[in-house]
Amino acid sequence: MQPVRLCLFSTIMLTPAALAQTYVVGVEDLPFAPHYSLDGEGQYRGFAREVLDAFAADSGISLSYKALPVDQLLPALQRGEIDLKYPDSPYWAGAQKAGMTLHYSQAVVDYVDGVLVAPQRQGQALENIRRLAMVQGWTPRGYEDAIDSGQIQLSYSDDLRQMIRLALKQDTDGAYFNVVVATHYLDNIRARPGALVFDPKLPHTRGSFHLSSARHPQLIARFDRFLAERSAQVAALKASYRVEANLDSDYIGLEQWKVDFLERQKEKAGAQAPASSRP
């Protein structure tokens, strides 16, 4: 009689998460709260992370996040090192995207880029802007002619912190940046709410952040369905992070109590203004 051989098998239980297809999202390695930023451990955080994680959970996929310098994201997408890029826009980097076929989602969140000035300077004409603070790599849309003619001189900074410092010291006449992000920094990090305010009378740009992909149009289509079917969930995240706070007013990014305070200050200043000497 032959001996009976017992074979032992180790059984691995695969959870749905383990079986899920994983995609790599290329994200910007810079502080851009409340939209997104990296924490002290290098983890991607903010509104964008919550929206994308909610999409992954809803779709049964897994997402990992790869933070890269902004100028390295598009080449990484082209080489297939990342599957998705956020944020992106069909209106960005036209020359670098020549020859590429990219697929864009519907708008995830709207934004405004413009100039923040000291409150007493709000409403002044473009001709009064002589020095403009900028972060390296940004393009001041609407100011190109004034810059080319020499009317406006640019003062470049390495980051948002340095740029805001220049504007607060009045070394420049204003600072050009994403208005919600700059306001969030002033309110929550610099602790100087209202020290600089958006000037809607000056040139500014409105746009939207999108998710893009070169190789996965089907994934972009699934993300669009998520945005439509989970619109209430996305809207709640927008409200929680205030990424579109007062986007259609002069007080973009400010909390309502600060808006009310500034309006009262305006009314008080108007009531104290001297009467006109004209008959």
Side-chain angles (χ1 to χ4, degrees):
M1 174 182 286
Q2 293 185 348
V4 177
R5 293 180 173 87
L6 298 177
C7 297
L8 300 178
F9 295 92
S10 60
T11 302
I12 301 175
M13 298 300 293
L14 295 178
T15 65
L19 292 170
Q21 174 69 50
T22 298
Y23 298 93
V24 179
V25 185
V27 298
E28 297 182 342
D29 184 7
L30 55 80
F32 208 71
H35 285 276
Y36 48 85
S37 60
L38 301 180
D39 65 17
E41 298 179 350
Q43 296 298 309
Y44 191 57
R45 295 286 184 255
F47 165 78
R49 173 68 186 261
E50 290 219 38
V51 170
L52 292 169
D53 279 358
F55 162 62
D58 187 74
S59 302
I61 62 172
S62 178
L63 296 177
S64 65
Y65 299 91
K66 185 173 184 178
L68 293 169
V70 175
D71 60 355
Q72 293 182 24
L73 281 168
L74 193 59
L77 187 65
Q78 191 170 23
R79 292 191 298 265
E81 296 170 2
I82 57 177
D83 299 298
L84 302 158
K85 177 180 181 294
Y86 186 87
D88 204 347
S89 168
Y91 303 105
W92 296 353
Q96 292 91 326
K97 291 177 178 177
M100 293 182 66
T101 299
L102 292 180
H103 308 275
Y104 297 93
S105 74
Q106 296 296 313
V108 178
V109 61
D110 295 333
Y111 69 86
V112 173
D113 293 341
V115 172
L116 293 96
V117 299
Q120 64 270 21
R121 294 185 59 94
Q122 192 177 34
Q124 295 192 29
L126 176 60
E127 290 71 24
N128 293 325
I129 301 292
R130 298 294 181 180
R131 297 164 299 168
L132 194 59
M134 292 277 298
V135 173
Q136 289 281 1
W138 278 68
T139 301
R141 304 294 183 191
Y143 296 83
E144 293 90 343
D145 291 343
I147 293 168
D148 291 343
S149 69
Q151 175 198 323
I152 293 179
Q153 302 294 322
L154 298 179
S155 297
Y156 283 106
S157 301
D158 292 334
D159 54 31
L160 173 61
R161 179 186 62 82
Q162 292 182 4
M163 182 194 70
I164 292 295
R165 184 169 178 268
L166 282 176
L168 289 175
K169 290 173 59 181
Q170 298 186 23
D171 290 340
T172 66
D173 300 315
Y176 183 94
F177 205 70
N178 179 285
V179 178
V180 164
V181 173
T183 301
H184 176 87
Y185 175 83
L186 282 163
D187 286 0
N188 299 282
I189 300 173
R190 188 73 188 215
R192 293 285 302 276
L196 298 174
V197 294
F198 170 58
D199 194 334
K201 301 290 193 328
L202 294 173
H204 54 278
T205 301
R206 291 182 177 269
S208 303
F209 290 159
H210 304 252
L211 184 68
S212 70
S213 180
R215 293 175 170 80
H216 302 287
Q218 78 288 348
L219 196 58
I220 296 297
R222 287 166 70 182
F223 184 62
D224 282 345
R225 288 197 297 273
F226 164 79
L227 291 177
E229 294 171 359
R230 300 288 185 265
S231 58
Q233 182 179 0
V234 175
L237 288 172
K238 288 181 180 180
S240 174
Y241 281 94
R242 301 187 59 78
V243 288
E244 291 181 343
N246 293 306
L247 207 62
D248 294 319
S249 80
D250 295 357
Y251 301 108
I252 292 177
L254 289 181
E255 296 179 29
Q256 191 57 48
W257 72 266
K258 295 168 188 169
V259 174
D260 296 339
F261 171 78
L262 291 172
E263 283 295 328
R264 288 196 299 270
Q265 291 295 97
K266 270 188 176 182
E267 292 174 2
K268 184 178 179 181
Q272 293 175 349
S276 171
S277 59
R278 294 183 63 184

